Amino acid sequence: MYSFASDYLEGAHPDVLKALTETNNRQSLGYGEDEYCAKATQMLKNIVENDNIDVHYLVGGTQTNMLVIAAALRSYQAVITVDSGHINVHETGAVEYTGHKILTRPHVKGKINSSMIADIMSEHRDEHAVQPKMVYISQTTEYGTYYTLKELKDIYTYCKDHDLYLFVDGARLGSALVKDDAPALKDLARYSDVFYIGGTKMGALFGECLVIVNNDLKKDFRYHMKQKGAMLAKGRMLGVQFLTLFSNRLYFRIGEHENKCADILRVGFKECGYNMYVETDTNQLFPILDKKTWAYVSKEYAATFMFNVDEEHICVRFVTSWATSEQTCHDFVRYLHQMS
Amino acid sequence: MYSFASDYLEGAHPDVLKALTETNNRQSLGYGEDEYCAKATQMLKNIVENDNIDVHYLVGGTQTNMLVIAAALRSYQAVITVDSGHINVHETGAVEYTGHKILTRPHVKGKINSSMIADIMSEHRDEHAVQPKMVYISQTTEYGTYYTLKELKDIYTYCKDHDLYLFVDGARLGSALVKDDAPALKDLARYSDVFYIGGTKMGALFGECLVIVNNDLKKDFRYHMKQKGAMLAKGRMLGVQFLTLFSNRLYFRIGEHENKCADILRVGFKECGYNMYVETDTNQLFPILDKKTWAYVSKEYAATFMFNVDEEHICVRFVTSWATSEQTCHDFVRYLHQMS
Amino acid sequence: MYSFASDYLEGAHPDVLKALTETNNRQSLGYGEDEYCAKATQMLKNIVENDNIDVHYLVGGTQTNMLVIAAALRSYQAVITVDSGHINVHETGAVEYTGHKILTRPHVKGKINSSMIADIMSEHRDEHAVQPKMVYISQTTEYGTYYTLKELKDIYTYCKDHDLYLFVDGARLGSALVKDDAPALKDLARYSDVFYIGGTKMGALFGECLVIVNNDLKKDFRYHMKQKGAMLAKGRMLGVQFLTLFSNRLYFRIGEHENKCADILRVGFKECGYNMYVETDTNQLFPILDKKTWAYVSKEYAATFMFNVDEEHICVRFVTSWATSEQTCHDFVRYLHQMS
Amino acid sequence: MYSFASDYLEGAHPDVLKALTETNNRQSLGYGEDEYCAKATQMLKNIVENDNIDVHYLVGGTQTNMLVIAAALRSYQAVITVDSGHINVHETGAVEYTGHKILTRPHVKGKINSSMIADIMSEHRDEHAVQPKMVYISQTTEYGTYYTLKELKDIYTYCKDHDLYLFVDGARLGSALVKDDAPALKDLARYSDVFYIGGTKMGALFGECLVIVNNDLKKDFRYHMKQKGAMLAKGRMLGVQFLTLFSNRLYFRIGEHENKCADILRVGFKECGYNMYVETDTNQLFPILDKKTWAYVSKEYAATFMFNVDEEHICVRFVTSWATSEQTCHDFVRYLHQMS
């Protein structure tokens, strides 16, 4: 039995584990004030060609999302996203727990656009309703699509024209970063106010690297971290991991690898005649399977059930990761062919 | 330069790191629903001789404290602790952020007793004031002392008689567990409503093992975890670490080791004529040093400045850990002797 | 210029003001523990034929909504309503500020039904999403419609079968109470868990009378009131007002009067050929007017602009109240006729 | 039986009730956007000789305190006050419910001073503790004393030097305003960042008039009001009441009257040989009575029990108000004399 259910089923990429082991016995300051975090941050500043960013290392995605939103907004301000946004459906109301309303519109292939944002803005004009102040998007999205550089610029321009912050959740950023028409890291540092580079789903044991670009969002951020239980005592472990991921293009190589694996699966599904719920070319696939096929597949492989499409068909999610081997993908395709 | 400043300056105990490495490539379910967490939990149930406990694995101490308190209390309820309680001074208002007042009395050697609690209770009688509902203590305390089994029973009895929960923060529990007159794990599971076994300061890379004893506090706890950003995606890492710490008495052996190291330092300070702010026999020492000694010590060793005692003297904290060697402690004592 | 914009444009019904004046100089206990509140509560218990209710007197609607929801739900629990629900659009995120997500479906003539609730329930099944725990409806709704007794029973039955609380916001309850097929007060006390009898929009200077039916929601409610700034020092003023409204059928007579006034307007709009956005027979009307008519009307009368229907038409809200005279309504109709 | 227990036992001053009655039937805009609020605000601007203030009308004291503090502070910031501060003991954790810690020092005759504030500041220096950002004082204090203009200036100067806001709770402001050495309204508008002029305890049916002086605290305050359930629908009632209180020196005349009444009681207690817990010369008195006297007094008069002084003595609070007559006070003194 092999599982394509998610990209956090194994531990860490071997290089990350090696770095943790090699640095294990050295003493260093706690709470992210160590030399490893400092080095990783400097390396990232070089990559984005911008020294004027604040970088913080956090443990997980929900934690990072709630923290950024809570720190950026005043209590009566709201965040805009698509109905399928991770913060809207998969975080048990973490954002609302910090006091903020989430305003949504139905997603278009997992994405939002400036016209949808404008529509929400038109409904919120005075103190009898919440005040929209931030737009949250994910790169890649919950449906495996990604925003092109042009799309990101469009949204960012709208945000700047309407006094909104743009926050990019990069839990699966690596899979998009390696696309030609997607924003590079330095583009994210130019066309967003705050974004994060996901580690948990990209080869780290755990960890998200938060980049604050907008000066207005920088002040006292460590107070927010500590207060929300998000400041790791042995913060050096986050520094060591991201230092490794940023070195030798490891983060990008992982993105390339998982996309390559996904391509093998994608071709296989096509060859066998299965359609996709949404066409993607990142590490997430959403094939529509008839129930017989799903039963056959489930004998040897795990994937995530998404929803019923109709009486006979379901939408399923397959995800590849740094830990998926190309051979495993070929084996799966061969297995799929054997059914027909 | 060697630092006695804290017990989270290195990575993990070698056995813990080894276990993480060995299990790294296996696939397992996320969010703490894996086999390692399950095994660690069963092992703990055996240790405390009680199958009717709920066990959850969390990342850090502040996170655990705020989560437990927020989950246990209704919005108008308050938690009682000493003025030096970790939640009162070192967590940036994390508990207040979840909406709850902390009610305090001045500590006696880091500890609270039932008479202090009764005094607070007498001041809170109707709906114009908050309603005390929980007592929070730390084992060991912020001043390195510990509650004996008798003291724990006294406080617990008062709590049960007055409809209060008793919550024991065990960030440094190992150092107390190995004391003859201190409560054992099974005592904690009998004379508290909820407690945690600290990992971060006891040899883990990170992690706290929360034990919920009182049935009233168990319902939907995973909803709280997820909502507060405290559910680790790769939860298996917490399971693997605590499985290791619970095996072969490792957790206890670490406690014994760090106490032994602290004893060497303690004897050294005494021999050289230094008094302690509070007499302890755990892994934290609070010597009172004159400024000349502090300058001399600081040339080769780091420790934590606590506060000024008078014009000429300061109180300093030395902490030993799994990573401290006895030799290092002997070296320090010799260095101290050389000054005189 | 006369305004039909809302039902809170004047002070209090003369009987209410008279009662406040007559009792002004008597001393009474504060915070709602006075004899007037006690009498009003006993009168209400007689009306609903149920002594086992808890009654609290609050100042305003948003305050009451946030308080009831915050008191009833645990932090990870959510409240269900229609997209047009008052708590969802007109309260500046008050519910989210208390930490709770609002889950919505598009309204059908302002109303929700059990099938819409079931649809939301099906999407919330584990701790990675919020847990729905309450349904919130308004009687009358934001679009002037009302739930019949049968509809209320259906929703309540669904709620009881699925462990949900049913909360009825009665800010404009009087206008519905006098309808033959609508639930009477004693029905609300049978087929809801908590509801309130609005005063602010029904002839009081201010005030809402909250009725808690479900025992689970009663405990320590006054702590919640005090903590959220919702306990009036001179609580006797709320008691005096509701005592007056409950006496001599005043509350019902006001409902009858405002409906009668609205009927005059309704007939007038029909005679002049205007359609309604939603057909109602309570004190709120939503005529669709062409822009020329709106300009003509606006010269002498105020009403509330709702939204653009198309290039040429808008939806407008007219509201009648205890302070509207039948003559004023006849005058308006005559004025409307004069345009054609 | 006559009660001196508090200053909110009756309704409103006759002039206030008259004004409410006279304006009752006029239509006006809701939510504080009416002409009465506008006029009261302009009158106040003239009194404080400063047009650059924002004025908001709120219903009650706890509501005002929590709102101002929640609006002014970021989540990790704290408010400083004395241990006896109203927000610390009598508001059921309302401030903590909005997420903020209250930092205290023991009061000196109900008051704080800059040295006590400095002491707290010295303990809060980095992100591991909350960040003090506001000082809260009451004029008059919980123990009936008042800050002189000089004392207010001292505290304000310290606040400005240390980036702290100064917030003055004026629930009983009138009793202090009429003292020669106390700050006048225009002084409060110069030496504080935000303050309020209490109505509930000063002759209004209810209501507090909030004055925001510091520009940093003004933005979007109405959003905060609405979100916290503190925006009254018929806001005109607050405008009408404060317009009356500000006219013809009524607010000041009430202050003078209640002080005069208190003086009669004070002289009486002295004549009969009773000491005061704290010497005051405002409308609150704290005599220390032996238990026999308390029993005798309680046969004909009510007052508030504060605490036991020793086995034989208790501290009691007597309060006078606009509704207390001088004759009543003379009667009480005569009654007291009759006991001896």
Side-chain angles (χ1 to χ4, degrees), chain B residues 88 90 92 96 101 127-128, chain D residues 88 90 92 96 101 127:
Chain B
N88 193 47
H90 296 306
T92 318
E96 287 86 356
K101 194 176 188 71
E127 70 266 22
H128 296 275
Chain D
N88 193 47
H90 297 305
T92 317
E96 287 86 357
K101 193 176 188 70
E127 69 265 22

Side-chain angles (χ1 to χ4, degrees), chain A residues 75-76 87-103 124 126-131, chain C residues 75-76 87-103 124 126-131:
Chain A
S75 69
Y76 53 88
I87 55 170
N88 193 47
V89 286
H90 296 306
E91 300 187 357
T92 317
V95 168
E96 287 86 356
Y97 182 68
T98 71
H100 304 287
K101 194 176 187 71
I102 301 176
L103 301 167
H124 296 82
D126 67 24
E127 70 266 22
H128 296 276
V130 291
Q131 184 182 89
Chain C
S75 68
Y76 53 88
I87 55 170
N88 194 47
V89 286
H90 296 306
E91 300 187 357
T92 318
V95 169
E96 287 87 357
Y97 182 68
T98 70
H100 303 286
K101 193 176 189 70
I102 301 175
L103 300 168
H124 296 82
D126 67 24
E127 70 265 22
H128 296 275
V130 292
Q131 183 181 90

Side-chain angles (χ1 to χ4, degrees), chain D residues 177-320:
Chain D
L177 278 181
V178 296
K179 294 288 170 184
D180 286 345
D181 57 347
L185 282 177
K186 70 176 179 184
D187 297 317
L188 286 164
R190 198 177 295 167
Y191 303 115
S192 80
D193 295 289
V194 52
F195 68 99
Y196 73 89
I197 304 167
T200 299
K201 295 173 178 171
M202 293 294 302
L205 272 183
F206 62 91
E208 320 296 322
C209 170
L210 180 69
V211 182
I212 308 183
V213 181
N214 187 323
N215 289 330
D216 295 347
L217 303 181
K218 292 175 181 173
K219 189 161 185 297
D220 291 337
F221 194 82
R222 282 174 60 82
Y223 279 87
H224 285 291
M225 287 172 61
K226 178 72 181 182
Q227 185 182 46
K228 278 78 174 179
M231 188 178 280
L232 195 65
K234 298 179 183 174
R236 46 96 67 76
M237 285 185 298
L238 291 161
V240 167
Q241 292 186 85
F242 278 97
L243 194 53
T244 308
L245 289 169
F246 293 158
S247 300
N248 305 313
R249 291 190 71 252
L250 178 56
Y251 197 79
F252 301 90
R253 286 188 286 127
I254 290 174
E256 286 157 359
H257 171 77
E258 57 189 23
N259 286 356
K260 195 167 180 182
C261 288
D263 285 344
I264 298 169
L265 299 180
R266 189 175 291 108
V267 169
F269 280 116
K270 290 269 162 90
E271 289 171 350
C272 296
Y274 298 102
N275 290 322
M276 297 289 162
Y277 172 67
V278 178
E279 291 294 333
T280 68
D281 49 0
T282 67
N283 72 322
Q284 293 184 84
L285 290 84
F286 296 86
I288 293 173
L289 306 182
D290 57 278
K291 291 188 174 174
K292 190 180 146 207
T293 303
W294 179 230
Y296 172 74
V297 163
S298 298
K299 277 188 282 187
E300 298 288 333
Y301 295 92
T304 304
F305 168 82
M306 296 295 286
F307 53 84
N308 292 308
V309 173
D310 57 32
E311 290 282 301
E312 278 307 301
H313 296 83
I314 61 172
C315 174
V316 177
R317 187 183 72 162
F318 281 70
V319 191
T320 60

